Amino acid sequence: MDVCKIHENTSKCSTSTMECFMVLSTQAQKISIATLCGLFGTLCVFENSLVLYLIFSSPGTRRKPSYLFISSLALADILASIIFVCSFVNFHVFNETNFSKEIYLLQLGGVNTSFSASLSSLLLTALDRYISISRPSEYKVLMTWKRAWVALGVLWVTCATVASLPLLGWNCCTLNSTCSELFPFVDDNYLSSWICFIMVLLGCIVYAYAHVLWKAHQHAAYMEKHQKQSARMRMDVMLAKTLVMVLAVLVLCWSPVLVLMIYSIFGRLSNRLRKVFAFCSTLCLLNSMVNPIIYALRSKELYSSLRMLFARFRRQLKASEESPEGDSAHKSSVIETVCEDTRVT
């Protein structure tokens, strides 16, 4: 049949029904998904690991609240890429069903925790920039290192709690309720609540960055009106460009997935739409891959640290290339000396 009738299926909570959610029917589709996940996942882990190294290797950055939020974002994106790629490829490409309902919900909880923490870290970064531009004189008092750590603790605990609810009992098997057409064992009401949670996060991020963007525009307009060019004006223009990129990437990567999730709650999804959802899910992974480029590597401090790291790496590489030549030259000179001594004797 075209779509597995999850709602009427009496064995909807058996592991055999997971085959209904394996919508990739051709080898080309599986190879495409595996390639996208492998490429995005590898780049995501590498980029975000580099960001964490740059932040914590410098005393000047690891003590700043803004970089704590960026490091939380990088950590969440690393976890998201690893858990998502492993579980998604294992399920859709290798069609692995040899695990229990609890194991599946645990994997889904890990994916939801990491992606929710990624968006929540973006929200804290947005609020950090909102406070810095709206109340600059009070920023250091309001955004302390201790408060930043408390905010991060609340963030991760909240995301983990929300993501663990299906495993703790809020699933269609325990409640004997309507199951989602996109995720095995997931209750439709929980999916609706999770969508609302993500929509609130995205809405707050958009509002905070829209406010920062408006403030930057006002300042640029004031400086242009008074025919003043300054470093602050150039910084405002750069900030505006960064924020436009932030909002564009967020909307592009999350809108397709959320739209299809909402549609699945109110209507039936065809096999074709569920395949589209599988491919659109990789856009969330793309967002995690792009985050370090937008948030971290556009920072002057981190970019400077990155250049120093590359310069040090080039020096070490050059030294390692020259050392064998030096050793061989030294050995040849020793041999020539021995030969000359032999001739003399």
Side-chain angles (χ1 to χ4, degrees), residues 318-334:
K318 188 177 180 180
S320 64
E321 288 176 351
E322 291 176 351
S323 59
E325 297 175 2
D327 292 341
S328 62
H330 175 70
K331 289 178 181 178
S332 62
S333 65
V334 170

Side-chain angles (χ1 to χ4, degrees), residues 108-124:
L108 184 64
V111 173
N112 287 346
T113 298
S114 50
F115 276 127
S116 300
S118 177
L119 284 178
S120 300
S121 298
L122 290 180
L123 176 58
L124 287 182

Side-chain angles (χ1 to χ4, degrees), residues 77-325:
D77 285 337
I78 289 173
L79 293 176
S81 60
I82 294 173
I83 301 173
F84 176 83
V85 169
C86 292
S87 58
F88 198 76
V89 171
N90 195 39
F91 187 82
H92 283 290
V93 177
F94 297 112
N95 300 138
E96 181 63 47
T97 60
N98 202 17
F99 48 83
S100 64
K101 175 193 74 174
E102 288 75 19
I103 295 298
Y104 174 82
L105 292 177
L106 181 63
Q107 292 176 349
L108 184 64
V111 173
N112 287 346
T113 298
S114 50
F115 276 127
S116 300
S118 177
L119 284 178
S120 300
S121 298
L122 290 180
L123 176 58
L124 287 182
T125 304
L127 292 176
D128 176 73
R129 293 181 178 178
Y130 175 86
I131 294 173
S132 68
I133 199 169
S134 61
R135 305 171 74 175
S137 60
E138 304 173 44
Y139 173 77
K140 290 187 177 181
V141 177
L142 295 174
M143 193 60 68
T144 62
W145 191 73
K146 183 178 179 180
R147 287 180 178 176
W149 274 109
V150 170
L152 288 176
V154 172
L155 177 158
W156 281 91
V157 169
T158 301
C159 291
T161 301
V162 172
S164 301
L165 291 177
L167 185 62
L168 297 175
W170 192 354
N171 57 73
C172 59
C173 302
T174 304
L175 301 177
N176 196 25
S177 55
T178 304
C179 290
S180 167
E181 289 188 4
L182 293 173
F183 307 100
F185 316 124
V186 174
D187 179 64
D188 257 351
N189 291 327
Y190 170 79
L191 183 59
S192 302
S193 302
W194 188 83
I195 292 171
C196 291
F197 175 62
I198 297 299
M199 293 288 285
V200 168
L201 289 178
L202 290 173
C204 292
I205 293 170
V206 170
Y207 172 79
Y209 278 138
H211 179 83
V212 174
L213 189 61
W214 175 246
K215 285 285 188 181
H217 171 73
Q218 282 184 322
H219 187 266
Y222 173 82
M223 298 298 289
E224 186 177 359
K225 181 180 179 181
H226 292 79
Q227 298 181 345
K228 295 180 180 179
Q229 294 288 336
S230 65
R232 174 64 186 273
M233 183 177 177
R234 288 192 296 271
M235 185 183 70
D236 287 339
V237 172
M238 183 178 177
L239 177 63
K241 291 179 180 179
T242 301
L243 297 184
V244 169
M245 289 173 58
V246 167
L247 298 179
V249 169
L250 274 176
V251 171
L252 176 66
C253 293
W254 281 92
S255 292
V257 170
L258 291 175
V259 168
L260 288 172
M261 283 184 181
I262 293 171
Y263 183 79
S264 72
I265 294 172
F266 298 102
R268 280 292 183 86
L269 291 177
S270 64
N271 253 0
R272 184 178 179 182
L273 282 178
R274 294 202 292 164
K275 288 178 183 178
V276 171
F277 177 80
F279 279 92
C280 287
S281 298
T282 60
L283 290 177
C284 299
L285 190 60
L286 175 64
N287 185 38
S288 295
M289 187 192 78
V290 174
N291 278 339
I293 300 174
I294 296 177
Y295 285 88
L297 299 183
R298 287 177 66 89
S299 162
K300 287 185 177 180
E301 289 175 285
L302 292 186
Y303 183 69
S304 176
S305 299
L306 181 63
R307 290 183 62 183
M308 291 173 61
L309 178 65
F310 282 153
R312 189 164 63 247
F313 176 75
R314 282 197 300 267
R315 286 196 300 269
Q316 291 177 350
L317 187 63
K318 188 177 180 180
S320 64
E321 288 176 351
E322 291 176 351
S323 59
E325 297 175 2

Side-chain angles (χ1 to χ4, degrees), residues 333-345:
S333 65
V334 170
I335 294 172
E336 289 174 1
T337 304
V338 171
C339 291
E340 289 175 359
D341 294 340
T342 305
R343 291 194 198 100
V344 171
T345 56

